[in-house]
Amino acid sequence: MIFNSIEFLFFALAFFLLWPILKKQNTTRWIFITVASFLFYAWWDWRFLFLIVGSGLVDYLSGLAMTRFPKNKKGLLAFSLIANLGSLSVFKYSVFFATVVDDVMEWFGVTTTLVDHIPEFALIVPVGISFYTFQSLSYTIDVYRGRLKPTKNILHFFSYLSMFPQLVAGPIVRAKDLLAQLTRYRTPSHFEIWNGMKLIVFGLFQKTVIADNLSFFIDAAFEGKTPFDGTSFWWVVTIAFAFQIYTDFSGYSLIARGIAKMMGYHFKMNFNHPYLATSLRAFWSRWHISLSTWFRDYVYIPLGGSRKGMLIGFLALFTTMFLSGLWHGAKYTFLMWALIHIGFLQLERSTKWTAKLKGKDYLLIPLIFIQSCVAWVYFRADDVEQGHQIIYRLFRFQDMNVGFFKSYFDHLIYLVIALAIEIMIYFKLKRPHLKQWYYQKNLDVYLVSIAIICVIFLRGEGQQFIYFQF
Amino acid sequence: MTAKRKITISLLLTACLIVCIKLFVPAPFNNRELKKEFWVGKTHTPQTFPVIAGGDSRVYRGFATEIFEEQTSTRAHNLGYSSAGWSSEYLQFLISKLDTSAAEPTIILGLSPHSFTKRGAKNEHYNTFATLSDFEIFRGTVLSKHLKHFSPFKPEELVKGVFGIEKKSTYFEGFRSGGWVHSHKVPEDSTSAIPSYQKTFRDNHVDTAIISNFVQTIDKLVKRDLRVIIYRSPTTDQMEAIEDSMSGFNETRLKAQLVAVGAEWIDFNNNEYRSYDGSHLHYEAAIQLTEALSKHYLRIE
């Protein structure tokens, strides 16, 4: 069930009709959230439920056992890590690891066919497995570190783990942020409902109007279904994909936050206009914030972070980004994407070139954007070879013809709109009087109406959210 | 302004804007909901038919079901899909829609070189509809009738519609009940599809395994006493030359194999049929082609 579907509309209507009645008592509230969320998740495939229940039980019981048997904390944490990462490896990485082994063996002249011997059940990747596994893991790690008191109520735990707005594509909500919120009920104020409504409408706008309308053009290019092949064409494709993945994912996060707000809960921001970043480091503090901070807190800092010298810093960065690439999927293309980011981040760190240009946003913003675009090529490419070919086309500077704009006007107009919106947001953020004027004139009221109209009459073909596959 | 007031005003404003759009903006030229209803309905029809037509877009645009029914007084269904290829699943799907208790159950297949490639056999378009959940089928067949009032616009037609600008180039498609898409383009350009086909065949060639599976399936169908009529979908000579030279398609050999297993092969002359883009037939040519197929079906020489 995806947010931009009729099924979800019926589901949400039923949920919010019953919510005011069932939210008052802890037990009924938790049961209702858990049952509704399981129904939401089972809509894809009911068999996926076994995995989330299994993963949740491991962490719920590990958390309880850690307080009861503090001497065995390390062992319990290891058990939780092995169980969670093990199931993630089986379902998400078995094909990749088998391919790597086959490729390495072939290198030595031995032909193996491990990839053909993977059990059929392991070939299906349950929707959102990386999201809820990481969310569940953060619970155990925080309990282990003594930063969180484990909940004794299994319903409380599962209402946190499975809460449908963020279940399949984040934001990855930390237990310490949400468990406490779930112990009370509150009726959202009109102000919160208005903010929730804005988040949902703007999220739907990003997803259905921008991302879905761009997808046809991008898919046609990557699948070779278009006669265009020049440098200017591939730059436009790359920029369009940068905006497609941003608006697709950010749109989902906004809708998730909006629904949570309507329920009376608060999820932290997951995107903060990453393409307006003036350094790649800043980009990563604005892009998929819940995952970036997860890796920062549980991988990067424990590995030494940036304060223990250049070498340790590089190794911490390399490991974190490499794992981040692998988190997205079991493909060489995601590792290439991560390697490009590692290269650019290390360059930025060692030369401090962005600091030297501080204040020159008109240079920094496009340069950082171009870096992220180059990496996105591999993220979207079917394989590394295709990624190389596109990079070659981007930088050979041949065929700067823009005739394809006419053929794809109905799609590329949305790229122009997305760019224009980001530019306006830049000025709104930089000029306080514009922001003041925006609120004084209540422009948000008109923008919400216009956005709803666009969602109804300009929506693209309904597509799955890209991040569901992760 | 209070938040409560903001919510009320924005909802009222939205309602007013919807009314204005419905009153003053011309309806979208291609209603996406109707299109969805067409494809979902065509794929998930509970009925079976004495005559089934299968193939790619040259078939769903080129086989005019209603003309066939009119000429032969036999119910038929067009199950062509974009870039369809002869995978076992797709062939099984065609057979599943055939009424085998009819007097002369017949499958009419329109071939193109692309339908024998691995990319064709992926059947992406067909699978989009074949794999729908029950709710999505309900949405496509029942809810679409109501949702058609909220079908989205294409920006270009919206701008031109609002400002009354006449379109220089228009693609006309009519979605007919028997699975036929009645199409033409103004202005016509009998070479416009060539570049994309050249690109497609650069790294996508006819697959011998798909050909042999196709021939074996036809053999089995004929042995089950089903009538199988096969033709190469007419297009332009230029397109056919490109397809033959780039895809590795050998029509003569395939024809011989199919005739040997008992299929009926019909040859068409490209020059007798008008294509609006160098690949697909103009609806008038589609009618003409269907009339020829109807005559063959009725065994009228």
Side-chain angles (χ1 to χ4, degrees):
Chain A
M1 203 184 303
I2 54 175
F3 287 160
N4 52 328
S5 66
I6 295 283
E7 294 103 300
F8 184 74
L9 187 67
F10 290 145
F11 171 85
L13 280 174
F15 182 87
F16 281 106
L17 268 175
L18 295 171
W19 178 242
I21 309 161
L22 297 170
K23 73 177 180 183
K24 288 175 184 160
Q25 282 186 340
N26 279 348
T27 312
T28 52
R29 179 168 65 252
W30 295 336
I31 291 174
F32 185 51
I33 292 176
T34 309
V35 170
S37 302
F38 280 179
L39 176 71
F40 173 83
Y41 193 54
W43 203 262
W44 274 278
D45 192 330
W46 61 271
R47 289 167 299 182
F48 291 171
L49 284 178
F50 289 109
L51 208 60
I52 189 170
V53 170
S55 172
L57 279 176
V58 165
D59 289 306
Y60 167 72
L61 295 172
S62 302
L64 283 181
M66 278 180 194
T67 46
R68 193 142 180 197
F69 310 105
K71 282 184 185 167
N72 299 326
K73 266 168 85 170
K74 255 192 186 149
L76 288 162
L77 178 68
F79 169 66
S80 162
L81 286 173
I82 291 167
N84 280 294
L85 298 177
S87 73
L88 196 61
S89 303
V90 168
F91 287 98
K92 198 164 170 175
Y93 300 111
S94 48
V95 174
F96 178 65
F97 290 144
T99 313
V100 172
V101 171
D102 288 346
D103 287 352
V104 171
M105 294 308 279
E106 201 176 323
W107 187 269
F108 290 109
V110 182
T111 307
T112 55
T113 52
L114 261 185
V115 78
D116 299 331
H117 293 88
I118 294 168
E120 208 171 309
F121 74 91
L123 297 173
I124 304 159
V125 183
V127 179
I129 185 171
S130 306
F131 285 95
Y132 64 72
T133 305
F134 270 47
Q135 187 155 317
S136 199
L137 269 180
S138 78
Y139 171 83
T140 331
I141 299 171
D142 283 350
V143 172
Y144 170 79
R145 288 175 170 178
R147 291 179 187 170
L148 180 75
K149 224 177 136 191
T151 175
K152 286 180 183 160
N153 192 309
I154 193 164
L155 293 169
H156 184 203
F157 177 80
F158 271 103
S159 61
Y160 148 72
L161 183 66
S162 66
M163 199 173 176
F164 73 88
Q166 47 78 49
L167 176 60
V168 289
I172 299 168
V173 185
R174 304 285 181 89
K176 62 183 164 59
D177 295 328
L178 191 57
L179 276 175
Q181 290 189 60
L182 282 165
T183 55
R184 48 186 184 264
Y185 93 88
R186 38 187 299 277
T187 305
S189 64
H190 284 120
F191 181 71
E192 283 171 309
I193 292 175
W194 170 241
N195 277 337
M197 185 174 153
K198 275 200 293 190
L199 288 170
I200 293 171
V201 170
F202 291 150
L204 281 171
F205 176 86
Q206 287 196 342
K207 165 65 183 159
T208 64
V209 181
I210 306 293
D212 284 354
N213 276 308
L214 287 175
S215 73
F216 177 82
F217 168 70
I218 295 157
D219 292 348
F222 278 88
E223 287 163 18
K225 290 178 183 167
T226 159
F228 305 103
D229 208 21
T231 293
S232 55
F233 174 73
W234 280 107
W235 271 111
V236 173
V237 172
T238 306
I239 293 169
F241 178 66
F243 274 92
Q244 184 201 11
I245 192 153
Y246 166 49
T247 51
D248 189 282
F249 194 15
S250 160
Y252 186 92
S253 299
L254 288 179
I255 300 168
R257 289 176 59 212
I259 295 168
K261 225 172 237 317
M262 296 278 198
M263 290 166 72
Y265 301 120
H266 175 73
F267 291 171
K268 285 180 184 166
M269 188 190 261
N270 208 22
F271 286 86
N272 184 18
H273 305 289
Y275 296 143
L276 298 179
T278 51
S279 70
L280 207 53
R281 195 173 166 224
F283 172 87
W284 278 106
S285 64
R286 290 158 169 254
W287 177 273
H288 199 177
I289 299 166
S290 62
L291 181 70
S292 307
T293 49
W294 198 102
F295 274 113
R296 184 197 64 199
D297 295 347
Y298 299 114
V299 181
Y300 184 68
I301 292 174
L303 285 174
S306 60
R307 292 182 183 170
K308 289 190 177 170
M310 197 68 152
L311 183 66
I312 298 277
F314 175 73
L315 288 175
L317 170 72
F318 185 89
T319 312
T320 309
M321 286 308 297
F322 192 81
L323 289 176
S324 170
L326 212 55
W327 178 90
H328 282 89
K331 274 173 81 181
Y332 288 122
T333 49
F334 293 127
L335 296 182
M336 272 302 290
W337 168 78
L339 285 173
I340 290 170
H341 273 282
I342 292 168
F344 284 139
L345 277 165
Q346 190 54 34
L347 184 75
E348 187 176 296
R349 192 187 269 181
S350 43
T351 62
K352 297 187 170 51
W353 72 271
T354 49
K356 287 171 193 161
L357 289 171
K358 200 177 175 187
K360 293 178 178 163
D361 289 4
Y362 59 89
L363 274 177
L364 285 169
I365 291 174
L367 287 172
I368 298 302
F369 180 64
I370 289 170
Q371 289 184 355
S372 64
C373 281
V374 169
W376 284 135
V377 167
Y378 287 95
F379 196 93
R380 175 61 181 79
D382 291 334
D383 49 47
V384 175
E385 184 53 39
Q386 188 189 32
H388 291 341
Q389 284 173 9
I390 295 169
I391 293 290
Y392 169 71
R393 283 171 173 77
L394 288 177
F395 292 100
R396 75 179 166 176
F397 297 108
Q398 271 177 16
D399 188 2
M400 303 301 278
N401 188 347
V402 287
F404 58 88
F405 256 96
K406 203 178 158 198
S407 306
Y408 291 103
F409 174 83
D410 281 334
H411 304 278
L412 290 176
I413 186 75
Y414 295 100
L415 178 60
V416 176
I417 292 171
L419 280 163
I421 291 172
E422 282 304 297
I423 291 168
M424 281 193 278
I425 287 168
Y426 172 79
F427 283 110
K428 193 181 138 196
L429 294 172
K430 286 283 170 181
R431 309 263 188 277
H433 66 275
L434 276 179
K435 198 172 179 177
Q436 212 178 351
W437 176 76
Y438 174 85
Y439 286 110
Q440 267 174 3
K441 298 284 175 195
N442 296 304
L443 290 186
D444 50 349
V445 176
Y446 307 107
L447 283 182
V448 165
S449 298
I450 293 167
I452 297 174
I453 292 297
C454 290
V455 169
I456 297 173
F457 292 111
L458 292 176
R459 66 185 191 277
E461 289 278 3
Q463 305 277 338
Q464 280 272 33
F465 285 87
I466 296 174
Y467 262 70
F468 279 10
Q469 62 184 295
F470 306 133
Chain B
M1 197 188 287
T2 63
K4 196 176 174 181
R5 212 180 153 93
K6 281 186 174 186
I7 296 169
T8 316
I9 293 176
S10 72
L11 291 177
L12 283 174
L13 186 61
T14 307
C16 292
L17 285 171
I18 291 174
V19 172
C20 289
I21 288 170
K22 295 307 290 178
L23 285 177
F24 301 112
V25 179
F29 188 71
N30 272 323
N31 191 308
R32 197 194 293 166
E33 291 300 331
L34 288 180
K35 205 168 166 178
K36 198 172 273 177
E37 189 186 356
F38 168 84
W39 287 107
V40 178
K42 161 171 163 161
T43 311
H44 294 281
T45 174
Q47 299 177 58
T48 53
F49 300 84
V51 176
I52 289 292
D56 57 17
S57 54
R58 289 184 192 164
V59 171
Y60 75 67
R61 296 184 195 282
F63 180 83
T65 324
E66 60 207 52
I67 302 297
F68 185 87
E69 289 183 339
E70 197 182 289
Q71 304 255 321
T72 63
S73 306
T74 311
R75 284 187 321 116
H77 197 51
N78 184 331
L79 285 172
Y81 294 87
S82 295
S83 307
W86 305 112
S87 64
S88 301
E89 294 77 20
Y90 178 59
L91 285 163
Q92 282 309 314
F93 168 69
L94 296 181
I95 298 161
S96 73
K97 297 291 176 192
L98 192 66
D99 177 4
T100 45
S101 63
E104 193 176 39
T106 306
I107 293 193
I108 300 176
L109 304 175
L111 311 184
S112 72
H114 188 270
S115 60
F116 290 102
T117 63
K118 280 189 177 155
R119 214 176 279 169
K122 279 187 183 170
N123 277 308
E124 284 176 7
H125 187 223
Y126 159 68
N127 282 323
T128 311
F129 301 101
T131 56
L132 292 180
S133 66
D134 290 344
F135 185 88
E136 286 164 324
I137 296 167
F138 169 74
R139 187 203 183 281
T141 50
V142 180
L143 294 182
S144 280
K145 288 181 177 61
H146 308 287
L147 293 171
K148 70 182 179 193
H149 302 293
F150 301 100
S151 181
F153 293 87
K154 284 186 177 172
E156 191 186 2
E157 70 182 36
L158 187 66
V159 172
K160 287 182 174 168
V162 169
F163 296 104
I165 304 166
E166 208 167 294
K167 287 186 167 192
K168 282 182 187 161
S169 162
T170 309
Y171 192 26
F172 295 91
E173 286 183 311
F175 295 88
R176 313 297 269 249
S177 59
W180 176 41
V181 181
H182 166 291
S183 14
H184 73 288
K185 206 171 182 178
V186 179
E188 287 175 23
D189 177 358
S190 62
T191 58
S192 68
I194 302 275
S196 64
Y197 276 79
Q198 281 173 321
K199 200 175 172 191
T200 299
F201 286 121
R202 245 182 256 162
D203 57 353
N204 183 40
H205 304 117
V206 165
D207 186 271
T208 46
I210 298 171
I211 296 240
S212 92
N213 180 53
F214 180 74
V215 176
Q216 279 171 25
T217 310
I218 301 302
D219 184 23
K220 283 179 197 160
L221 293 179
V222 174
K223 283 179 179 148
R224 279 173 59 188
D225 280 340
L226 302 177
R227 190 174 173 199
V228 184
I229 300 172
I230 301 181
Y231 64 97
R232 180 172 182 171
S233 296
T235 177
T236 58
D237 279 344
Q238 194 185 354
M239 174 63 86
E240 202 167 289
I242 285 166
E243 286 181 327
D244 287 350
S245 63
M246 294 184 75
S247 73
F249 183 64
N250 187 331
E251 186 186 328
T252 319
R253 195 192 307 156
L254 180 64
K255 179 182 169 181
Q257 285 175 295
L258 291 169
V259 171
V261 297
E264 297 169 34
W265 180 280
I266 317 176
D267 284 311
F268 291 107
N269 181 352
N270 287 328
N271 297 323
E272 289 172 14
Y273 298 92
R274 171 174 157 208
S275 166
Y276 57 80
D277 63 352
S279 172
H280 305 101
L281 297 188
H282 186 281
Y283 70 91
E284 285 172 358
I287 292 171
Q288 189 189 333
L289 175 73
T290 312
E291 284 170 348
L293 283 164
S294 306
K295 278 184 186 163
H296 181 90
Y297 174 79
L298 294 171
R299 296 184 172 88
I300 302 169
E301 290 307 316

